[in-house]
Amino acid sequence: MTTPTVSNGSTAPARRLLIVGPPGAGKGTQAVRIADELSIPAISTGDIFRANVSGQTELGVLAKSYMDKGEYVPDSVTNDMVRSRLAEADAQDGFLLDGYPRTLDQVEALDGMLAELGTPLDLVLLLVVEQEEVVQRLVARGAEQGRSDDTEETIRRRLEVYAEQTAPLIDVYEQRGLVRRVDGMAPIDEVTAALREALGAR
């Protein structure tokens, strides 16, 4: 596969990416596929949290103190974890962030991190899905995997939180001309192909 380029007139490789979409949109699966093809790390905030907690880093210990009390980990802690991860050697030539930023404050924090690194964001890949279909998809997954957090009530609440907190980010990135929309309800391979096309791959 040829190196994808930003399709807004720039010839710079599109290698600093975000993947965005509601719970159940398939972000994790697609992030790994696209990142593998581009030979860049797929960076999930969930993975960062687990790595810091299991490694008992200073940030991990701090995050665990909040999680053990059932409280949200403050943005400041999450931001520091992401900043540390983006500074690692494997992310110097690009990255695909999954699950961050989630709020407008985190967008501002990420802007600052990328400015420090001298590496602007190339594209935001948005997986568009039908809410009711996602609810049914996640309910089915919860039943199959015995996941207590995938009840219809909790799923709908998570979708509400996404709409309230994360959807506004899309407007910010739209204004910057960075958003590429892809139908997330298509079969997995078709979604991957559409993401490749959105990246400008030929």
Side-chain angles (χ1 to χ4, degrees):
M1 164 176 144
T2 56
T3 302
T5 57
V6 181
S7 53
N8 59 7
S10 168
T11 56
R15 299 178 62 82
R16 292 171 180 86
L17 313 167
L18 305 183
I19 189 163
V20 182
K27 297 186 298 299
T29 298
Q30 297 299 335
V32 170
R33 286 181 166 212
I34 295 299
D36 281 349
E37 290 192 7
L38 296 176
S39 298
I40 58 176
I43 301 175
S44 153
T45 46
D47 290 344
I48 296 174
F49 271 86
R50 283 187 286 274
N52 276 271
V53 171
S54 65
Q56 296 186 327
T57 67
E58 186 177 342
L59 287 170
V61 171
L62 184 57
K64 190 172 185 296
S65 72
Y66 287 97
M67 292 187 288
D68 285 349
K69 291 182 285 189
E71 297 175 5
Y72 285 117
V73 177
D75 272 2
S76 58
V77 178
T78 304
N79 293 342
D80 284 347
M81 285 187 182
V82 173
R83 180 179 289 105
S84 174
R85 181 64 184 88
L86 291 180
E88 291 183 22
D90 66 339
Q92 299 313 295
D93 291 329
F95 54 81
L96 198 165
L97 275 171
D98 169 17
Y100 182 94
R102 289 181 185 271
T103 65
L104 291 173
D105 285 344
Q106 289 181 355
V107 169
E108 190 174 338
L110 179 61
D111 285 346
M113 293 175 210
L114 296 179
E116 289 169 13
L117 294 169
T119 54
L121 196 64
D122 292 326
L123 286 177
V124 176
L125 303 170
L126 173 60
L127 295 178
V128 181
V129 296
E130 294 290 333
Q131 179 167 318
E132 288 308 311
E133 202 162 333
V134 164
V135 170
Q136 297 312 313
R137 178 190 286 184
L138 291 178
V139 167
R141 184 183 76 180
E144 288 170 10
Q145 300 179 3
R147 292 175 57 150
S148 60
D149 61 332
D150 275 347
T151 65
E152 183 168 345
E153 183 180 1
T154 56
I155 289 163
R156 290 191 184 280
R157 179 56 193 149
R158 282 157 57 200
L159 289 168
E160 286 173 9
V161 170
Y162 171 81
E164 292 164 5
Q165 295 187 354
T166 307
L169 317 183
I170 296 163
D171 293 336
V172 172
Y173 289 124
E174 282 273 27
Q175 290 165 13
R176 301 181 188 179
L178 296 177
V179 177
R180 302 290 182 272
R181 284 177 162 76
V182 167
D183 177 12
M185 301 311 296
I188 291 175
D189 288 346
E190 290 181 22
V191 175
T192 304
L195 287 169
R196 283 196 208 105
E197 186 175 346
L199 287 167
R202 294 292 179 268

